[in-house]
């Protein structure tokens, strides 16, 4: 069965500083990988996704993630954080379900705080 | 944003009562999902649907049932609510298998007293 680990529960960075959020996954085949962001009281918004090809994936809001098969990692990065990036970030791995569609297995999330 | 609405957005109910949550989409996506979000667990899949009248269980389906009588609506029913079902429930949709990701609704906060 697939699993996702986000080792950092909380991260605090200063506005303008770079950011890296860690994600490690366990999955037997080539994974479908996703990063989502959740603002307080809101649903989840898809930031970016990876399923094949270039291992550096660009997403919305200036985020990018790099897939490293040898390390089973899919870390999220941003060169310069803005105060509006404060939110909770979830990494997920997808598996194809019987009948189609994907089951997403989520990590427990990383809460990002941005200091002004 | 994907056209997904959930109703109600907040609900307080008593233990033992039935509860139905509704998810409505305007995207005509084939696949629909119900997740619950709890602190320390991330989101966990309850049930999903791969077409009208086609549904299957996820990893935490005990105590829940679903129905999908038309493409746009996916209902989640708690037959007899328990305090352990206090959670935030999210509906999601996707168009394709594998790639593409899922798009989430705004959530329903359910409290069972």
């Amino acid at each position: 069965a697939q699993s996702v680990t986000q080792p950092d529960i909380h991260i605090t960075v200063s506005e303008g500083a770079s950011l890296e959020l860690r994600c490690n996954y366990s999955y037997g085949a080539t994974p479908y990988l996703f990063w989502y962001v959740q603002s307080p009281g809101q649903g989840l918004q898809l930031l970016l996704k990876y399923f094949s090809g270039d291992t550096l994936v660009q997403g919305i809001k200036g985020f990018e993630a790099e897939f490293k098969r040898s390390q089973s990692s899919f870390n999220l990065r941003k060169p310069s954080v803005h105060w509006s990036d404060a939110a909770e970030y979830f990494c997920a791995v997808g598996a194809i379900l019987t009948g189609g569609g994907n089951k997403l297995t989520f990590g427990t999330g990383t809460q990002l705080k941005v200091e002004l | 944003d994907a056209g997904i609405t959930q109703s109600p957005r907040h609900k307080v109910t008593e233990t033992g009562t039935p509860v139905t949550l509704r998810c409505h989409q305007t995207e005509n996506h084939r696949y629909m999902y119900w997740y619950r979000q709890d602190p320390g667990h991330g989101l966990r899949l309850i049930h999903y649907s791969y077409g009208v009248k086609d549904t299957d269980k996820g990893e935490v389906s005990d105590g829940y049932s679903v129905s999908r009588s038309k493409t746009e609506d996916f209902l989640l029913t708690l037959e007899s609510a328990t305090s352990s079902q206090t959670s935030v429930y999210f509906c999601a949709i996707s168009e394709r298998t594998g790639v593409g990701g899922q798009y989430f609704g705004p959530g329903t906060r359910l409290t069972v007293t």
Side-chain angles (χ1 to χ4, degrees):
Chain A
Q2 64 267 32
S3 65
V4 175
T5 301
Q6 294 181 248
D8 303 306
I9 298 174
H10 299 279
I11 283 186
T12 300
V13 299
S14 299
E15 190 175 36
S18 63
L19 171 70
E20 183 168 28
L21 302 182
R22 296 184 290 165
C23 172
N24 293 98
Y25 69 90
S26 173
Y27 188 66
T30 300
Y32 300 100
L33 294 163
F34 307 88
W35 274 100
Y36 285 85
V37 60
Q38 184 180 32
S39 298
Q42 304 296 313
L44 281 74
Q45 182 181 22
L46 179 63
L47 283 176
L48 47 78
K49 59 195 177 190
Y50 170 81
F51 50 92
S52 67
D54 193 345
T55 57
L56 186 62
V57 180
Q58 301 298 318
I60 63 171
K61 303 186 179 187
F63 286 93
E64 65 179 26
E66 186 172 13
F67 171 63
K68 293 185 177 180
R69 184 185 299 276
S70 62
Q71 299 178 18
S72 297
S73 69
F74 188 56
N75 294 349
L76 183 70
R77 302 195 294 246
K78 187 170 185 178
S80 178
V81 170
H82 188 263
W83 64 267
S84 60
D85 293 324
E88 190 158 22
Y89 291 80
F90 292 92
C91 180
V93 61
I96 296 175
L97 291 162
T98 304
N102 277 356
K103 172 189 173 181
L104 294 185
T105 298
F106 287 84
T108 52
T110 297
Q111 187 72 47
L112 173 65
K113 179 180 177 181
V114 179
E115 290 183 331
L116 301 177
Chain B
D1 291 340
I4 310 170
T5 57
Q6 293 184 232
S7 58
R9 294 293 314 279
H10 301 272
K11 186 170 182 67
V12 180
T13 192
E14 294 184 348
T15 298
T17 60
V19 177
T20 295
L21 308 183
R22 180 181 184 237
C23 176
H24 178 78
Q25 62 145 328
T26 58
E27 306 294 323
N28 201 36
H29 282 0
R30 177 178 178 181
Y31 305 103
M32 299 185 75
Y33 313 81
W34 278 107
Y35 291 86
R36 60 177 289 173
Q37 183 178 30
D38 304 289
H41 290 277
L43 282 83
R44 293 177 291 173
L45 182 64
I46 304 171
H47 281 280
Y48 66 98
S49 169
Y50 48 95
V52 173
K53 298 191 190 309
D54 292 323
T55 65
D56 206 345
K57 297 178 180 179
E59 61 182 305
V60 290
S61 59
D62 287 349
Y64 302 95
S65 62
V66 291
S67 65
R68 191 172 179 195
S69 59
K70 45 187 178 178
T71 300
E72 58 266 35
D73 289 327
F74 192 31
L75 304 180
L76 176 71
T77 298
L78 290 65
E79 303 290 348
S80 178
T82 67
S83 59
S84 65
Q85 293 176 312
T86 292
S87 187
V88 181
Y89 291 86
F90 287 98
C91 174
I93 64 174
S94 69
E95 187 175 20
R96 301 161 65 185
T97 293
V99 309
Q102 294 175 16
Y103 298 91
F104 285 78
T108 294
R109 183 173 295 276
L110 176 67
T111 302
V112 183
T113 61

